[in-house]
Amino acid sequence: MNLLTQLLDATLIIGGVPILWREIIGNVFGLASAIGGMKRVVWAWPVGIVGNLLLFTVFLGGVFHTPQNLDLYGQAGRQVMFLIVSSYGWWAWSKARRCGVKEPSDTDPCRSIVTEPHEDTAAIQPRWASNKERAGMIIFAVLGTLIFAWIFQALGSWGPLADAWIFTGSILATYGMARGWTEFWLVWIGVDIVGVPLLLSAGYYPSAALYIVYGVFVTWGFTVWLKIQREEKNTANSQKELVPSTH
């Protein structure tokens, strides 16, 4: 237990401010998961789960006696949510091909956790959500934020309204990523805009810095998925033009 305690409490001092190594490492794993999501490879999910486990102990600062000693129940709770949704995402992307059996979309996520797939294979094809799906996202975003803000405030969370949106938006973005909705990148941007000032105010500086990096990254990821959609649409149109008319 002494070794485990030492690992959990290992800190890096920057400008006189103690920063937990597990907060830094957890965010690095989260960034690696986001990169994997942009590349549409399955290893994005298990890598993200490792980061979730580390960050769960960070944001329950009052429980695990972090330097901030603050409890952000939304931030901690979303790590648990990530574990659940990431398990779904891992399954959803993996079912596209299980050891050689391909889906109609001809995707191929059956690959090593350390090796890249061929350029013509991917775990999912990006698409815009339907109008019905978008309406569901908006309703969930509003109701979820209000309900979780009430719950987190009752629990004594620090910054309950912002914490609630971050939690709710994270659910939407992670589920949207699993479904292949391009809008999930935009939801992440909304989470980052609220998350940076919240984490800076609470003293979680590595997480705040990573949120800024995430903001840049998800903007890039959004453009990448848009490009993939356009290329797929152009390819589909070209194939239609090559099909001879039966009339």
Side-chain angles (χ1 to χ4, degrees):
M1 288 297 295
N2 289 335
L3 178 59
L4 177 61
T5 301
Q6 290 176 5
L7 290 174
L8 287 175
D9 294 339
T11 58
L12 176 68
I13 306 298
I14 299 179
V17 178
I19 297 172
L20 289 170
W21 270 107
R22 54 190 155 106
E23 182 180 358
I24 297 172
I25 296 172
N27 279 294
V28 169
F29 271 83
L31 181 60
S33 176
I35 293 173
M38 184 189 67
K39 293 187 175 183
R40 298 175 294 152
V41 289
V42 169
W43 60 254
W45 299 106
V47 166
I49 287 174
V50 175
N52 301 148
L53 292 173
L54 290 172
L55 291 175
F56 175 78
T57 67
V58 170
F59 291 118
L60 285 182
V63 176
F64 290 91
H65 305 293
T66 64
Q68 298 84 2
N69 203 32
L70 293 173
D71 289 322
L72 291 177
Y73 287 103
Q75 291 281 355
R78 79 178 192 144
Q79 306 307 320
V80 177
M81 176 275 297
F82 282 150
L83 290 174
I84 298 172
V85 180
S86 292
S87 298
Y88 165 75
W90 196 350
W91 170 81
W93 285 25
S94 296
K95 77 171 185 177
R97 197 191 90 169
R98 295 187 184 279
C99 299
V101 180
K102 291 191 175 183
E103 293 281 309
S105 59
D106 200 34
T107 57
D108 180 15
C110 201
R111 62 195 64 139
S112 168
I113 196 171
V114 295
T115 58
E116 289 293 327
H118 294 295
E119 292 183 356
D120 60 345
T121 62
I124 201 164
Q125 177 58 43
R127 68 176 179 86
W128 291 112
S130 66
N131 290 334
K132 182 179 179 180
E133 290 166 339
R134 288 179 182 174
M137 292 171 66
I138 294 172
I139 294 172
F140 182 82
V142 175
L143 293 181
T145 300
L146 294 176
I147 292 172
F148 286 121
W150 177 76
I151 294 173
F152 294 157
Q153 186 173 23
L155 291 173
S157 182
W158 195 85
L161 184 60
D163 212 15
W165 160 242
I166 292 171
F167 181 70
T168 303
S170 298
I171 295 176
L172 282 174
T174 308
Y175 181 73
M177 174 179 167
R179 294 294 303 273
W181 298 340
T182 302
E183 288 92 342
F184 92 88
W185 295 106
L186 300 178
V187 177
W188 273 133
I189 292 174
V191 169
D192 294 335
I193 290 173
V194 175
V196 171
L198 175 69
L199 293 170
L200 285 175
S201 300
Y204 290 99
Y205 301 116
S207 296
L210 260 296
Y211 266 50
I212 295 174
V213 174
Y214 289 152
V216 176
F217 174 79
V218 296
T219 302
W220 175 38
F222 177 64
T223 61
V224 169
W225 276 40
L226 278 181
K227 181 181 178 181
I228 293 171
Q229 282 184 271
R230 294 193 190 100
E231 291 175 349
E232 182 70 16
K233 183 178 180 180
N234 291 336
T235 299
N237 291 336
S238 298
Q239 291 176 346
K240 288 181 180 180
E241 292 176 357
L242 292 175
V243 175
S245 175
T246 57
H247 298 286

